[in-house]
Amino acid sequence: MFARGVRQLRFAAPVACAGGAVKTWHSDQRPQMFSMPKGMPQPAVAKCEEASNFLADLPQNGKVMAEYVWLGASGTTGGFDIRSKTMTLDKKPTSPSELRIWNYDGSSTGQAPGNDSEVLLKPVAIYKDPFRRGDNVLVLCEAIHPVSKAPIATNTRSAAKALFDKKLELKPWFGIEQEYTLIKKDGIRPLGFPEVGSPAPQGPYYCGAGFDSAIGRPIADMHYKACLYSGVKIAGINAEVMPGQWEYQVGPCEGIQSGDDMWMSRYLMIRVCESLGVNVTFDPKPMSGDWNGAGCHTNYSTEPMRAPGGYTEIIKAIEKLGKKHEEHIKVYGEGNERRLTGAHETAPITAFSYGVANRGCSVRIPRDAEANKCGYFEDRRPASNMDPYVVTSKIFQTTCL
């Protein structure tokens, strides 16, 4: 059914991912998790991963490593620009307020000119570090101006939080379904695609099991565990419709936490792929032709929608979204016109629609919400590369402010 090269790729992926990146082992304790045939060389990725953990168990003499993570503006990998660097601390922080504001060279990230390049990093959220473990942490930061301390132009978090803070009593919940595609080392074709031609048509891959269907599962599982360990509110994962395409869900999160956890989950995905020698893309249509695109379906509710009789509030909110369809599409991700065609479980980008259990609509109302007369709805329009700060706050602004 597939070319020989594809089968070899699928064979290599689990081997490369089974080396123990999710758990640190002493060199004399590392279990043999996957046996290779005699005479066959071990994959280079597995060797590199083992080497990277060689000093992982050394004591840090009471010090803590804090990885400051922020969003740049020039692009790094996967279609995003997520940067990080490490600071040594004397103790484990328990709150962002305990961490000092740091700085970086904004001229190297597309966020400042060379003659005035300093940009400051303001810590806003702390996560456990699944790569270094122990007391080490990941620190999500906002980028702010060094003199005025105001958010710089590419800082979308600050504006989003200001909108949520206007009506905290509404308690907006978001559950975001992040689709992504694993790409070969050449950065061109997804895992499971042969060098020439195409794999079998869509059908067996969605939530599939098996060597020739669930392509990249070890990577998805490793990311899942990294999120759980770090404190990201990940709800689940599943294989998607196209080979090499997966989804994970983050939420329900209230207000600004949704964007924070989404960006940190994306950082963790990029780091996992970095460790395993695999590329990842969040492009909304990585393969042209009869293949599904990648979205970031956004499930949403407020406290009045979740209360008994809240179905009326759900319909009111959806109709408000319909009146500002074009306004929302403009901020729902780049390249979304390649995905929202009216085919492959999407509504056309030019028209707004909603319906119960209809995945061909712009907005889907779950059967349970209709039956219970309360609950949530799903905005299916956001692309996989959308900015969660922009999208969540835009939905809240349109429906509640």
Side-chain angles (χ1 to χ4, degrees):
M1 181 168 65
F2 294 94
R4 176 181 174 84
V6 180
R7 292 193 177 277
Q8 290 174 339
L9 174 68
R10 294 179 178 181
F11 182 70
V15 178
C17 299
V22 175
K23 184 172 183 179
T24 302
W25 302 85
H26 293 288
S27 58
D28 59 347
Q29 294 177 325
R30 180 180 291 273
Q32 186 63 37
M33 300 180 69
F34 193 100
S35 298
M36 295 289 287
K38 290 183 178 181
M40 182 178 291
Q42 293 291 324
V45 175
K47 290 183 178 179
C48 292
E49 186 277 313
E50 185 172 355
S52 71
N53 285 335
F54 185 66
L55 302 178
D57 293 336
L58 285 180
Q60 296 176 196
N61 294 325
K63 300 295 184 181
V64 171
M65 291 183 280
E67 190 77 11
Y68 278 47
V69 180
W70 74 96
L71 304 180
S74 60
T76 53
T77 190
F80 295 136
D81 190 330
I82 309 179
R83 312 269 178 154
S84 69
K85 63 176 184 173
T86 315
M87 176 190 291
T88 301
L89 307 177
D90 291 328
K91 63 177 182 178
K92 181 181 180 180
T94 59
S95 167
S97 62
E98 298 176 8
L99 293 159
R100 73 177 178 90
I101 291 178
W102 208 2
N103 66 75
Y104 68 94
D105 173 16
S107 69
S108 296
T109 63
Q111 294 170 297
N115 62 353
D116 188 12
S117 64
E118 188 171 289
V119 180
L120 300 185
L121 291 172
K122 175 186 174 184
V124 295
I126 297 174
Y127 299 83
K128 294 167 65 177
D129 188 337
F131 306 103
R132 291 172 171 146
R133 315 262 184 108
D135 287 340
N136 302 306
V137 294
L138 303 174
V139 181
L140 186 67
C141 301
E142 283 190 25
I144 61 176
H145 192 274
V147 178
S148 68
K149 306 301 187 292
I152 65 171
T154 57
N155 178 348
T156 56
R157 184 185 189 276
S158 180
K161 188 176 185 302
L163 288 172
F164 288 128
D165 287 348
K166 288 183 177 182
K167 288 192 175 181
L168 292 173
E169 69 276 10
L170 292 180
K171 301 184 183 301
W173 288 1
F174 298 93
I176 301 180
E177 305 168 23
Q178 175 69 72
E179 294 179 335
Y180 62 93
T181 306
L182 298 170
I183 303 291
K184 297 179 183 181
K185 287 185 180 181
D186 61 13
I188 299 173
R189 296 176 73 79
L191 294 188
F193 277 69
E195 300 305 318
V196 178
S198 297
Q202 297 184 155
Y205 312 109
Y206 173 69
C207 295
F211 193 60
D212 58 354
S213 296
I215 305 166
R217 187 191 298 276
I219 300 167
D221 276 355
M222 197 169 294
H223 173 256
Y224 196 175
K225 291 183 179 180
C227 286
L228 288 171
Y229 178 89
S230 71
V232 167
K233 198 171 183 181
I234 189 168
I237 67 171
N238 60 268
E240 267 301 333
V241 178
M242 188 181 79
Q245 187 183 69
W246 288 77
E247 173 187 299
Y248 63 88
Q249 303 90 34
V250 170
C253 298
E254 185 172 324
I256 200 65
Q257 184 194 356
S258 180
D260 288 348
D261 279 14
M262 276 300 303
W263 276 117
M264 185 53 68
S265 74
R266 288 167 167 178
Y267 174 75
L268 293 174
M269 172 57 69
I270 290 170
R271 285 286 305 274
V272 166
C273 289
E274 171 192 321
S275 297
L276 300 175
V278 178
N279 286 305
V280 62
T281 181
F282 296 89
D283 187 89
K285 187 69 173 179
M287 295 300 291
S288 59
D290 193 18
W291 301 105
N292 272 35
C296 232
H297 302 156
T298 302
N299 299 277
Y300 169 66
S301 69
T302 59
E303 190 163 66
M305 295 179 199
R306 298 187 293 271
Y311 194 74
T312 301
E313 296 300 318
I314 290 175
I315 298 301
K316 286 180 181 178
I318 293 173
E319 291 180 346
K320 287 179 181 179
L321 290 177
K323 293 176 181 178
K324 294 190 175 183
H325 174 64
E326 292 183 4
E327 193 175 308
H328 278 249
I329 287 295
K330 288 179 181 177
V331 298
Y332 273 17
E334 295 183 9
N336 212 8
E337 71 282 351
R338 293 182 282 118
R339 167 180 163 263
L340 297 181
T341 62
H344 302 108
E345 299 179 270
T346 69
I349 197 170
T350 54
F352 181 84
S353 59
Y354 69 93
V356 176
N358 189 342
R359 283 178 164 77
C361 283
S362 307
V363 171
R364 178 183 67 88
I365 302 172
R367 288 278 184 206
D368 285 350
E370 181 191 42
N372 298 331
K373 300 304 177 186
C374 64
Y376 69 97
F377 65 85
E378 175 193 42
D379 191 338
R380 298 178 57 80
R381 296 171 295 171
S384 51
N385 59 4
M386 63 84 153
D387 182 339
Y389 293 138
V390 173
V391 169
T392 56
S393 62
K394 184 67 173 175
I395 292 173
F396 182 70
Q397 181 182 35
T398 296
T399 60
C400 296
L401 299 180

